């Protein structure tokens, strides 16, 4: 086996324009997932070139399962004061809690500025400085690399403690739930899907999965009282009932492509709608864990594959 040399490629060799090349590339599901992994946040793209007074934010995103806005400002060059000003202006206009500045190179003064912003703002605000690199091994295809050069203080500790739950006070049920989702995350790491990524395991009955569009998400749930597992597709946009009625035209297709037992729930008494499918399982039965994980993986892929284009075209 021969060893090859890693070569760094100028980013503009692949992306000639920030607005027409890099931003659309980053907005693609697989690529925003790479950025999400680099900063340990699950991001969903809301819009590109979000128009505001005085300019356009390159990407507006949300953190999956929350309503917290994230803005991303890109530049295929070294950091400069103009982009710093834009970032602060766009963050204010869009009420962003997380601000991500991507450049090919961070000068020390701007790296220090991002660190300063993280020090002087509260924990509800997060600033990231990220360098985009392109790597090549021999004559291989180019590989993108997001290098985090500035991040919130004690960011990894914040991620680990984000659940705000004291483990000493966890019930046996919560311990079992967290262990279950940890095992599921390990299963998915060994059997990766091209359709979805797991989120951080927590002591909760459900794990949320991003669909690629904000206000639409999938929730994987375990229910010890009823001994069943459920995949739930939630609609939580501004007008969930109208959206549900629009998607309802595909009900027969969903019965054919997902399952004849799929359950469509308009839920007129609350501000969201849901489509779900359940299967009898005892999540405490370790002997059936493999079958449970396979079921969750297969059904989640079916849900995402079925609804992805339909919600994108709404």
């Amino acid at each position: 086996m021969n060893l090859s040399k890693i070569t760094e490629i100028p980013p503009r060799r692949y992306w000639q324009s920030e607005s027409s090349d890099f931003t659309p590339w980053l907005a693609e599901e697989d690529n925003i997932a790479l950025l999400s992994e680099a900063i340990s946040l699950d991001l969903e793209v809301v819009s590109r070139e979000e128009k505001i007074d005085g300019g356009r934010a390159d990407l507006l995103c949300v953190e999956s399962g929350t309503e917290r806005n994230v803005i991303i400002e890109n530049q295929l060059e070294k950091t400069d004061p103009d982009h710093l000003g834009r970032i602060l202006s766009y963050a204010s206009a869009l009420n962003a809690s997380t601000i991500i500045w991507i450049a090919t190179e961070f000068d020390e003064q701007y790296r220090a500025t991002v660190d300063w912003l993280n020090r002087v703002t509260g924990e509800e605000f997060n600033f990231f400085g990220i360098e985009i690199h392109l790597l090549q091994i021999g004559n291989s295809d180019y590989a993108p690399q997001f290098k985090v050069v500035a991040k919130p203080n004690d960011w990894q500790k914040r991620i680990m403690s984000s659940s705000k739950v004291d483990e000493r006070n966890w019930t046996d049920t919560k311990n079992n739930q967290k262990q279950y989702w940890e095992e599921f995350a390990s299963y998915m790491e060994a059997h990766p899907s091209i359709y979805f990524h797991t989120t951080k395991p927590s002591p909760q009955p459900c794990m949320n999965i991003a669909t690629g569009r904000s206000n639409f998400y999938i929730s994987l749930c375990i229910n010890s009282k009823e001994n069943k597992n459920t995949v739930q597709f939630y609609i939580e946009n501004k007008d969930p009932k109208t959206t549900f009625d629009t998607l309802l035209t595909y009900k027969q297709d969903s019965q054919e492509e997902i399952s004849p037992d799929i359950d469509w729930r308009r839920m007129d008494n609350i501000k969201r709608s849901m489509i779900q499918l359940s299967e009898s399982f005892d999540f405490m039965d370790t002997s059936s864990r493999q079958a449970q994980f396979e079921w969750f993986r297969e059904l989640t892929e079916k849900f995402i594959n079925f609804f992805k284009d339909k919600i994108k075209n709404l």
Side-chain angles (χ1 to χ4, degrees):
M1 180 181 295
N2 295 324
L3 298 178
S4 296
K5 181 180 179 181
I6 297 177
T7 305
E8 185 151 353
I9 306 299
R12 283 198 185 272
R13 185 179 297 181
Y14 185 77
W15 302 291
Q16 295 183 2
S17 166
E18 294 168 11
S19 59
S20 58
D21 295 322
F22 183 76
T23 298
W25 174 86
L26 182 58
E28 293 178 7
E29 184 177 356
D30 289 345
N31 302 324
I32 202 68
L34 290 176
L35 178 60
S36 296
E37 184 177 357
I39 63 175
S40 299
L41 279 182
D42 198 1
L43 304 176
E44 295 181 41
V45 176
V46 176
S47 64
R48 288 166 26 195
E49 303 294 336
E50 179 73 13
K51 188 175 181 180
I52 58 177
D53 290 342
R56 295 176 183 269
D58 289 336
L59 283 180
L60 172 63
C61 304
V62 294
E63 292 182 43
S64 297
T66 77
E67 296 181 354
R68 294 191 290 269
N69 284 346
V70 179
I71 62 165
I72 303 175
E73 182 67 13
N74 310 313
Q75 56 179 135
L76 293 176
E77 54 197 16
K78 291 174 63 175
T79 47
D80 58 44
D82 178 57
H83 281 80
L84 175 60
R86 291 186 205 173
I87 287 170
L88 298 178
S89 175
Y90 298 162
S92 173
L94 295 171
N95 192 30
S97 59
T98 298
I99 297 90
I100 302 171
W101 186 3
I102 300 177
T104 57
E105 182 181 348
F106 261 78
D107 283 340
E108 184 56 36
Q109 61 177 317
Y110 296 111
R111 187 194 314 235
T113 299
V114 174
D115 288 337
W116 176 78
L117 286 167
N118 280 316
R119 286 198 306 272
V120 300
T121 55
E123 285 197 2
E124 67 270 25
F125 296 102
N126 305 306
F127 293 85
F128 290 90
I130 297 177
E131 290 182 347
I132 177 65
H133 297 273
L134 275 183
L135 305 178
Q136 185 179 34
I137 302 177
N139 295 318
S140 71
D141 292 339
Y142 300 157
Q145 179 192 54
F146 290 109
K147 181 181 178 181
V148 180
V149 298
K151 60 186 178 182
N153 305 323
D154 299 324
W155 178 242
Q156 294 306 318
K157 291 182 181 179
R158 277 202 225 173
I159 292 296
M160 294 300 293
S161 63
S162 60
S163 63
K164 305 296 183 184
V165 176
D166 187 345
E167 293 188 29
R168 293 172 298 179
N169 296 326
W170 285 359
T171 62
D172 288 343
T173 298
K174 286 190 174 298
N175 280 311
N176 291 330
Q177 289 168 343
K178 187 169 189 292
Q179 181 183 8
Y180 183 93
W181 295 123
E182 287 175 341
E183 291 183 15
F184 178 64
S186 297
Y187 169 83
M188 290 304 303
E189 186 175 348
H191 305 82
S193 170
I194 63 172
Y195 294 101
F196 72 96
H197 302 276
T198 57
T199 53
K200 181 177 178 291
S202 63
Q204 303 294 334
C206 298
M207 173 185 280
N208 290 342
I209 302 294
T211 64
R213 183 167 180 181
S214 61
N215 301 314
F216 298 85
Y217 66 93
I218 288 174
S219 193
L220 312 183
C221 297
I222 49 180
N223 188 323
S224 57
K225 292 182 179 180
E226 299 182 18
N227 282 338
K228 68 178 182 180
N229 292 356
T230 305
V231 176
Q232 301 169 326
F233 175 78
Y234 279 104
I235 303 167
E236 292 189 348
N237 60 350
K238 293 181 180 179
D239 192 359
K241 305 313 171 190
T242 299
T243 301
F244 179 89
D245 293 341
T246 300
L247 293 174
L248 190 59
T249 59
Y250 299 104
K251 181 177 180 179
Q252 183 174 347
D253 293 338
S254 73
Q255 292 172 331
E256 295 173 357
E257 297 183 32
I258 298 177
S259 169
D261 300 320
I262 193 167
D263 183 13
W264 288 67
R265 298 188 176 186
R266 198 172 191 269
M267 301 192 299
D268 293 324
N269 57 326
I270 60 176
K271 293 183 178 180
R272 64 180 179 179
S273 293
M274 179 180 68
I275 303 157
Q276 68 173 20
L277 185 67
S278 298
E279 183 70 28
S280 296
F281 282 116
D282 176 4
F283 91 93
M284 289 297 296
D285 179 10
T286 56
S287 66
S288 69
R289 287 274 170 91
Q290 180 81 8
Q292 294 182 47
F293 296 159
E294 289 175 356
W295 184 84
F296 267 136
R297 182 182 188 275
E298 179 184 355
L299 265 296
T300 302
E301 289 182 340
K302 284 186 176 182
F303 268 74
I304 292 176
N305 193 40
F306 183 82
F307 286 106
K308 182 178 177 181
D309 289 340
K310 294 174 180 62
I311 62 176
K312 183 183 295 184
N313 295 326
L314 286 173

